[in-house]
């Protein structure tokens, strides 16, 4: 047969075969009502692509511990899990969503998981604007339930706040409660500049720092906004005031950008003086990876809703659970822990609703849940189904091996999303210009207690 | 009956059959297929049709069409969304009347495209391609950097504010399916009509011989600019439909990925025939869904394990095996039949009268 004919017949054969396979799912098949379909969505690409196994691992650790799930591979959570039962029904993980921190991909993945694969519940997403997109998607679809994995933007549970969306961890602003007061009191900062990723989580996280720092009397003199996934930060750090013009700098630059941003600062203004720098949880992740980290020893950093190194029985039990099901997973990492808590709440809800989903599940999801990093042992939701959570600012120190690590430095009790009324459903969502820098009495102001060697002391930070 | 006549009859029969199937679609397939596969096929097909129109009849491969779709969608989103408790949190949230907003969004997109087209109309080939790519990049950077109109975050709630004649597309997705189908048919008919008008014929002349057409007195730049404007009108309508379908837009819907997506759809379908737009869109969306669902769970041995790898391989295969896309394969089947049936027959309309060709 001539080559020309092959060039016709081969694609035709492939087309017919591919078309048959691809369209086989087009015709409707009845869904099984005795199975609860759950999807877990994390990021496998983009700035937080490293966290996919953490999110899935956190969710499946809860399924293993509280719902009889059996990991297929203890070293690779995304290999799957079998045998999950809750509320008298089998729970089937229908798919893992793969986000890339963009709203468009999150939306596409949500449609695939919730509409094509028919998931009743989504545990996820990971990132701020993904959650904004999914909150908007969920609002007109009340039969679907979303429990946020670890996304920290404020809008999904305050301004948009669909009734079928739940968050069992703080938002990015809550995580930073206390950090402004700490640098104001311990380092004597009175003025600062802030550089923030130019998207919803960056804005929310910065909003927490700005609100906390300004509330006690500090001034933010400059705000700079590099886009997410920037690789060359030199033009952005040049927009910051020179050292000496402000007392310090807050860094809210995340993912793969943290190290390059700090290095760009050093290239512009010389070596980092730790007493002039602070920031959000992204500085944590710097400690193990970036060569700029050793020069950050002593820097105070906002929390992630977890308390690494906290010495309590509940924390020890939680660590034992994680080591049992997925040894080696970073139990204190919010990317893991927040998915664990979200799924734990889901299991409790399913048990209470007897496996029912939709409105009955939403009514049954717990408004108060056991949480190892809450000093009281319980985490509560507010009326917007958003966590009121203890926060744990940390400090970068040298560990016994001489490497940079983080250590608990403060305990901020019962941080709510509104910051004592500063943020409301009617206030503009955090943005480049929101919130304004205003002095205000915050509920936890003057109540932040020092943490020494993993133990909360009675000493209030002064 | 000649092979060409047979082909025309077969194509019309298939067209009618597909139309009947499309009309019955919501009753035949799952909700997901109706909404995510078929409705999206109609809408992305409209976007790809604007590209194929410019390419097939104007000789202009434009990479601006996804950007123009995005401009229309973003304009609509910013105009209709509302900043109220429980409402939208990003963008201008002007709260305009949806009907007015749709008209303004389409007119604004066409106006911008005419300016773009005026600049690009004197360039050809790779230079035109690069200029139009620049337009898409400008649109992307504008919406992603000017946070007042959206920024990195999604402009949401667009599907909540539709004109009265469109109705509720959030809860009644079948309605949006039929609207998209109707618009897709209208776009197809419009383009088929347009290319037969004097404007369309002269545009094809400019495609083939721009210098000769200029020497004959045709204003080449004006024709190309107008064609770009018509392409933008089609893209803008597609953009409005996409905004209703998606409900929200973010920079990824307007960026390089979206630009390449539309180009890949057009190439898979075939850059030479308008029908290819919807064929390509259907193939692209089905491949996208299948690959994303199967690879993680069943571990297909695909390099990189991602949709982009698979679609890249498909694109490569199409370019090598059938540069004219899936429609090209179809045409080649008929070419084969024609060769078996004897030498190609010259269509009657371009046969010269016997008196001119054979001297007596």
């Amino acid at each position: 047969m001539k080559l020309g004919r092959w060039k016709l017949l081969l694609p035709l054969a492939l087309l017919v075969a591919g078309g048959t396979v691809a369209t086989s799912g087009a015709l409707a098949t009845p869904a099984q009502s005795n199975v609860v379909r759950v999807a877990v969505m994390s990021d496998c690409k983009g700035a937080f692509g490293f966290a996919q196994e953490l999110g899935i691992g956190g969710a499946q650790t809860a399924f293993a511990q509280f719902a009889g799930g059996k990991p297929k591979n203890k070293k690779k959570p995304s290999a799957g899990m079998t045998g999950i039962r809750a509320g008298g029904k089998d729970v089937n993980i229908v798919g893992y969503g793969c986000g890339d921190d963009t709203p468009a991909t999150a939306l596409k993945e949500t449609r695939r998981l919730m509409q094509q694969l028919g998931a009743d519940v989504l545990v996820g997403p990971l990132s701020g604007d993904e959650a904004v997109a999914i909150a908007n998607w969920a609002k007109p679809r009340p039969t679907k339930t979303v429990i946020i994995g670890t996304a920290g933007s404020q809008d999904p549970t305050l301004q948009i706040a669909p009734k079928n969306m739940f968050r069992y961890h703080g938002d990015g602003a809550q995580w930073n409660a206390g950090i402004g007061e700490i640098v104001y009191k311990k380092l004597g900062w009175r003025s600062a500049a802030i550089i923030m990723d130019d998207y919803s989580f960056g804005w929310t996280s910065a909003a927490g720092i700005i609100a906390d720092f300004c509330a006690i009397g500090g001034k933010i003199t400059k705000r700079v906004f590099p886009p997410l996934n920037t690789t060359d930060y030199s033009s952005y750090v040049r927009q910051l005031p020179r050292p000496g013009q402000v007392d310090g700098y807050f860094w809210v630059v995340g993912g793969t950008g943290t190290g390059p941003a700090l290095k760009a600062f050093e290239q512009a203004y010389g070596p980092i003086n730790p007493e002039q720098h602070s920031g959000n949880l992204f500085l944590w992740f710097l400690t193990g990876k970036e060569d700029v980290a050793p020069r950050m020893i002593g820097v105070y950093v906002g929390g992630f809703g977890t308390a690494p190194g906290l010495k309590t029985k509940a924390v020890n039990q939680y660590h034992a659970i994680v080591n049992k099901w997925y040894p080696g997973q970073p139990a204190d990492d919010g990317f893991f822990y927040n998915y664990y808590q979200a799924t734990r709440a889901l299991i409790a809800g399913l048990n209470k609703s007897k496996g029912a989903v939709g409105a009955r599940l939403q009514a049954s999801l717990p408004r108060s849940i056991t949480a190892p990093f809450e000093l009281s042992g319980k985490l509560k939701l507010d009326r917007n189904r958003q966590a009121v959570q203890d926060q744990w600012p940390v400090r970068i120190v040298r560990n016994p091996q001489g490497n940079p690590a983080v250590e608990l430095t403060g305990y901020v009790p019962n941080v709510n999303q509104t910051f004592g009324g500063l943020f409301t459903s009617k206030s503009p969502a955090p943005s480049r210009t929101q919130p304004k820098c205003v002095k205000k009495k915050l509920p936890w102001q003057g109540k932040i207690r020092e943490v020494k060697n993993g133990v909360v002391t009675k000493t209030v930070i002064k | 009956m000649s092979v060409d006549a047979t082909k025309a009859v077969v194509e019309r029969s298939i067209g009618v059959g597909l139309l009947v199937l499309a009309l019955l679609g919501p009753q035949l397939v799952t909700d997901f297929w109706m909404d995510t596969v078929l409705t999206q096929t109609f809408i992305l097909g409209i976007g790809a049709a604007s590209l194929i129109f410019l390419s097939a009849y104007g000789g202009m491969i434009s990479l601006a069409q996804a950007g123009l779709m995005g401009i229309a969608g973003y304009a609509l989103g910013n105009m209709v969304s509302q900043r109220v408790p429980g409402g939208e949190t990003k963008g201008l949230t002007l709260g305009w009347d949806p009907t007015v907003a749709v008209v303004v969004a389409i007119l604004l997109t066409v106006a911008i495209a005419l300016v773009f087209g005026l600049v690009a109309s004197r360039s050809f080939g790779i230079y035109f391609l690069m200029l139009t790519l620049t337009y898409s990049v400008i649109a992307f950077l504008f919406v992603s950097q000017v946070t007042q109109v959206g920024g990195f975050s999604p402009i949401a709630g667009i599907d909540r504010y539709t004109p009265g004649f469109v109705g509720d597309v959030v809860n009644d997705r079948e309605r949006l399916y039929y609207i998209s189908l109707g618009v897709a048919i209208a776009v197809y008919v419009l383009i088929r009509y347009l290319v037969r008008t004097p404007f369309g014929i002269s545009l094809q002349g400019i495609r083939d011989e721009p210098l000769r057409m200029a020497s004959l007195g045709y204003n080449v730049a004006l024709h190309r600019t107008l064609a770009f404007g018509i392409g933008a009108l089609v893209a803008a309508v597609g953009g409005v439909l996409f905004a209703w379908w998606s409900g929200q837009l973010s920079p990824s819907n307007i960026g390089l990925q979206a630009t390449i997506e539309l180009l890949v759809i057009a190439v898979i379908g075939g850059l030479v025939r308008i029908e290819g737009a919807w064929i390509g869109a259907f193939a692209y969306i089905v491949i996208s869904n299948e690959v994303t669902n199967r690879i993680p769970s069943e571990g297909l041995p695909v390099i990189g394990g991602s949709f982009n790898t698979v679609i890249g391989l498909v694109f490569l295969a199409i370019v090598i095996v059938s540069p004219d896309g899936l429609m090209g394969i179809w045409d080649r089947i008929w070419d084969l039949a024609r060769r078996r049936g004897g030498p190609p027959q010259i269509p009657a309309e371009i046969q010269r009268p016997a008196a001119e060709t054979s001297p007596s």
Side-chain angles (χ1 to χ4, degrees):
Chain A
M1 193 179 280
K2 286 179 184 175
L3 183 65
R5 212 167 287 180
W6 271 113
K7 280 180 80 173
L8 186 62
L9 292 177
L10 188 65
L12 265 180
L14 287 173
L15 269 178
V16 172
T20 309
V21 172
T23 54
S24 59
L27 301 179
T29 49
Q32 290 175 284
S33 61
N34 59 342
V35 173
V36 177
R37 292 174 297 271
V38 176
V40 180
M41 182 170 166
S42 183
D43 277 10
C44 69
K45 289 182 270 189
F48 306 105
F50 63 87
Q52 189 196 25
E53 294 292 339
L54 302 184
I56 297 171
Q60 290 183 175
T61 298
F63 277 133
Q65 182 66 22
F66 304 111
K70 299 279 181 290
K72 287 184 181 171
N73 182 344
K74 288 192 172 188
K75 289 181 180 169
K76 192 183 180 198
S78 63
M81 177 164 267
T82 57
I84 311 169
R85 279 186 69 80
K89 288 188 179 176
D90 288 334
V91 176
N92 183 12
I93 299 176
V94 296
Y96 300 118
C98 165
D100 61 0
D101 64 54
T102 67
T105 303
L107 206 54
K108 188 176 173 187
E109 283 294 273
T110 303
R111 286 196 192 100
R112 181 177 71 83
L113 296 168
M114 306 296 274
Q115 291 175 293
Q116 184 179 15
L117 303 181
D120 306 299
V121 184
L122 177 70
V123 178
L126 176 143
S127 184
D129 274 317
E130 295 177 332
V132 174
I134 293 173
N136 282 302
W137 176 88
K139 196 164 187 126
R141 296 170 179 85
T143 58
K144 302 289 186 180
T145 304
V146 179
I147 306 176
I148 293 177
T150 189
S153 51
Q154 186 184 82
D155 333 20
T157 53
L158 190 59
Q159 286 87 4
I160 306 167
K163 290 186 167 49
N164 49 346
M165 185 169 243
F166 297 74
R167 180 155 56 186
Y168 288 89
H169 60 78
D171 70 16
Q174 288 171 271
W175 290 333
N176 285 331
I179 194 67
E181 186 174 335
I182 287 172
V183 297
Y184 185 94
K185 288 181 173 174
K186 289 207 169 235
L187 301 177
W189 290 16
R190 294 297 176 268
S191 66
I194 188 163
I195 176 167
M196 61 181 95
D197 280 336
D198 202 13
Y199 78 120
S200 287
F201 176 72
W203 297 333
T204 301
S205 185
I209 292 174
I210 293 166
D212 202 74
F213 184 61
C214 294
I216 198 155
K219 295 283 178 215
I220 297 290
T221 61
K222 181 75 178 175
R223 307 180 192 206
V224 176
F225 333 96
L228 192 63
N229 297 321
T230 294
T231 50
D232 180 2
Y233 286 86
S234 54
S235 63
Y236 298 99
V237 299
R238 281 289 181 190
Q239 295 175 42
L240 292 168
R242 299 180 66 81
Q245 292 177 332
V246 286
D247 296 326
Y249 303 90
F250 287 114
W251 293 88
V252 186
V253 179
T256 48
T258 321
L262 287 162
K263 281 185 204 167
F265 182 90
E266 288 195 317
Q267 282 167 358
Y269 302 120
I272 281 171
N273 174 358
E275 294 208 340
Q276 292 177 343
H277 295 270
S278 179
N280 75 342
L281 58 100
F282 290 139
L283 295 183
W284 279 33
F285 306 128
L286 192 77
T287 53
K289 299 168 191 161
E290 303 287 348
D291 60 10
V292 72
R295 296 188 289 284
M296 302 287 283
I297 302 296
V299 166
Y300 289 101
V301 178
F304 200 172
T306 61
L310 183 67
K311 290 173 183 163
T312 64
K313 195 177 165 188
V315 171
N316 291 339
Q317 283 174 344
Y318 164 64
H319 285 167
I321 289 169
V322 176
N323 278 329
K324 179 179 174 187
W325 297 110
Y326 288 106
Q329 287 282 354
D332 294 340
D333 191 326
F335 286 125
F336 182 94
Y337 172 73
N338 293 331
Y339 276 84
Y340 169 83
Q341 283 296 107
T343 309
R344 185 179 193 169
L346 169 62
I347 296 162
L350 285 172
N351 285 335
K352 191 176 173 190
S353 73
K354 302 198 183 326
V357 292
R360 280 184 61 193
L361 172 64
Q362 289 153 25
S364 302
L365 280 168
R367 266 56 178 174
S368 169
I369 184 171
T370 303
F373 294 126
E374 294 298 297
L375 212 54
S376 68
K378 286 278 183 184
L379 176 140
K380 289 181 180 154
L381 294 193
D382 65 16
R383 63 191 179 128
N384 281 340
R385 301 156 299 285
Q386 163 65 39
V388 178
Q389 190 183 32
D390 292 344
Q391 299 303 332
W392 305 90
V394 297
R395 192 175 193 193
I396 299 177
V397 295
R398 277 194 200 284
N399 65 13
Q401 290 77 41
N403 299 319
V406 292
E407 176 185 86
L408 284 185
T409 191
Y411 164 65
V412 191
N414 293 320
V415 176
N416 64 31
Q417 192 181 27
T418 70
F419 274 53
L422 182 67
F423 303 117
T424 70
S425 61
K426 290 178 183 169
S427 66
S431 65
R432 288 180 175 184
T433 53
Q434 293 292 336
K436 307 287 183 217
C437 187
V438 290
K439 195 169 181 184
K440 179 180 172 56
K441 180 71 183 168
L442 298 177
W444 50 86
Q445 215 169 68
K447 297 176 187 170
I448 303 172
R449 284 153 63 184
E450 285 194 3
V451 181
K452 291 249 170 85
N453 300 318
V455 178
V456 178
T457 68
K458 291 186 176 172
T459 311
V460 172
I461 288 178
K462 291 176 184 162
Chain B
M1 191 185 281
S2 72
V3 173
D4 286 324
T6 312
K7 183 186 175 190
V9 170
V10 171
E11 282 189 352
R12 278 184 198 135
S13 306
I14 291 174
V16 171
L18 286 176
L19 187 60
V20 171
L21 275 177
L23 288 169
L24 295 173
Q27 278 70 50
L28 300 176
V29 297
T30 62
D31 286 351
F32 174 81
W33 259 75
M34 179 197 74
D35 187 27
T36 300
V37 177
L38 296 179
T39 307
Q40 204 183 179
T41 292
F42 302 145
I43 296 170
L44 290 184
I46 292 168
S50 74
L51 198 161
I52 293 175
F53 162 70
L54 291 173
S55 164
Y57 300 104
M60 300 178 274
I61 298 181
S62 166
L63 296 183
Q65 303 314 107
L68 293 168
M69 284 178 78
I71 288 172
Y74 258 86
L76 179 67
N78 275 282
M79 286 187 275
V80 296
S81 54
Q82 297 176 20
R83 197 177 294 265
V84 293
E88 289 69 51
T89 57
K90 312 292 184 192
L92 296 172
T93 54
L94 296 174
W96 285 14
D97 176 78
T99 308
V100 175
V102 168
V103 174
V104 173
I106 291 173
L107 291 179
L108 181 71
T109 307
V110 173
I112 290 170
L114 286 173
V115 175
F116 282 173
L118 199 62
V119 176
S121 61
R122 285 173 175 78
S123 58
F124 294 84
I126 188 72
Y127 302 104
F128 183 87
L129 193 88
M130 295 306 290
L131 265 176
T132 50
L133 176 63
T134 307
Y135 297 155
S136 261
V137 173
I138 289 170
F140 168 75
L141 288 176
F142 182 80
V143 299
S144 58
Q145 299 292 308
V146 181
T147 52
Q148 287 83 354
V149 299
F152 193 83
S153 311
I155 293 287
I158 309 172
D159 49 356
R160 290 166 65 186
Y161 312 104
T162 52
F165 61 88
V166 172
D168 178 3
V169 297
V170 177
N171 298 305
D172 189 353
R173 301 300 276 181
E174 210 173 302
R175 179 184 287 268
L176 187 61
Y177 172 90
Y178 284 115
I179 290 170
S180 305
L181 174 62
V183 174
I185 293 168
V187 164
Y188 176 73
V189 171
L190 172 76
I191 293 174
R192 290 287 299 245
Y193 166 76
L194 204 65
V195 297
R196 286 171 168 78
T197 61
F199 169 77
I201 302 290
S202 50
L203 185 67
Q204 291 169 69
I206 287 168
R207 172 198 64 194
D208 297 334
E209 294 288 349
L211 280 177
R212 187 173 292 179
M213 292 296 281
S215 65
L216 287 172
Y218 285 90
N219 188 333
V220 172
L222 182 65
H223 272 77
R224 286 165 60 90
T225 303
L226 285 176
F228 199 74
I230 293 165
L233 174 69
V234 173
V237 171
V240 167
L241 287 172
F242 186 84
W244 285 338
W245 175 79
S246 176
Q248 37 191 317
L249 291 173
S250 57
S252 308
N253 296 120
I254 203 172
L256 197 57
Q257 176 120 10
T259 300
I260 291 170
E261 184 177 276
L262 216 54
L263 183 67
V264 168
I265 286 172
V267 170
I268 290 177
L271 276 167
V272 291
R273 289 184 61 175
I274 289 296
E275 297 87 342
W278 289 277
I279 305 277
F282 180 74
Y284 182 90
I285 293 164
V286 168
I287 292 170
S288 169
N289 284 323
E290 288 303 309
V291 170
T292 320
N293 276 335
R294 285 173 198 271
I295 283 181
S297 55
E298 297 175 18
L300 288 183
V302 177
I303 305 158
S306 76
F307 165 67
N308 286 337
T309 307
V310 175
I311 203 70
L313 291 172
V314 171
F315 184 84
L316 204 61
I318 288 281
V319 169
I320 292 170
V321 175
S322 175
D324 289 338
L326 296 177
M327 290 306 294
I329 293 175
W330 172 253
D331 286 340
R332 289 226 315 277
I333 292 171
W334 289 94
D335 284 346
L336 202 66
R338 197 177 288 121
R339 280 206 294 274
R340 285 193 170 175
Q345 295 173 8
I346 301 167
E349 60 266 29
I350 57 170
Q351 279 181 13
R352 290 184 178 181
E356 284 184 30
T357 50
S358 40
S360 53

